[in-house]
Amino acid sequence: MSNEVINTVEVKAVAGRSEELGKQLQRIVDTLRETPGCDSYLVDRCPEDSHRWTVSARWQSEAAMQAHFNRPEAQGFIDLIDSRLANSVDFNSFPIV
């Protein structure tokens, strides 16, 4: 049985700021993918709605994923709302079975 986990972040851009949001998400991910225990960290734009973005990461363990949330760079997701690039940021995680 695997103890690997995936986390996703669903982000909705403020009207007119989707391109800028995508660039900022990529900057965040470029930093966080170097976190110990991270197998991958990706940014994808929704093909049906250009204002929706999904960030997904695959972790070697629940502990590695949780530890990364304590990194200052992870605060960047919350800062997207404060900087008015995003209307919403929704976090999810689930085990890989």
Side-chain angles (χ1 to χ4, degrees), residues 13-21 51 85:
V14 168
R17 302 205 64 194
S18 190
E19 294 297 325
E20 188 179 353
L21 173 63
H51 289 87
L85 284 176

Side-chain angles (χ1 to χ4, degrees), residues 82-94:
D82 293 342
S83 65
R84 299 198 174 137
L85 284 176
N87 287 324
S88 65
V89 178
D90 296 313
F91 295 87
N92 297 290
S93 65
F94 49 92

Side-chain angles (χ1 to χ4, degrees), residues 25-38 40-41 55 57 59 68-77:
L25 288 171
Q26 192 61 57
R27 282 191 286 275
I28 293 168
V29 165
D30 287 345
T31 302
L32 289 173
R33 75 167 42 110
E34 301 301 321
T35 303
C38 180
S40 67
Y41 225 128
V55 177
W59 299 94
H68 114 280
F69 289 128
N70 293 323
R71 291 180 58 129
E73 296 90 346
Q75 177 65 34
F77 290 112

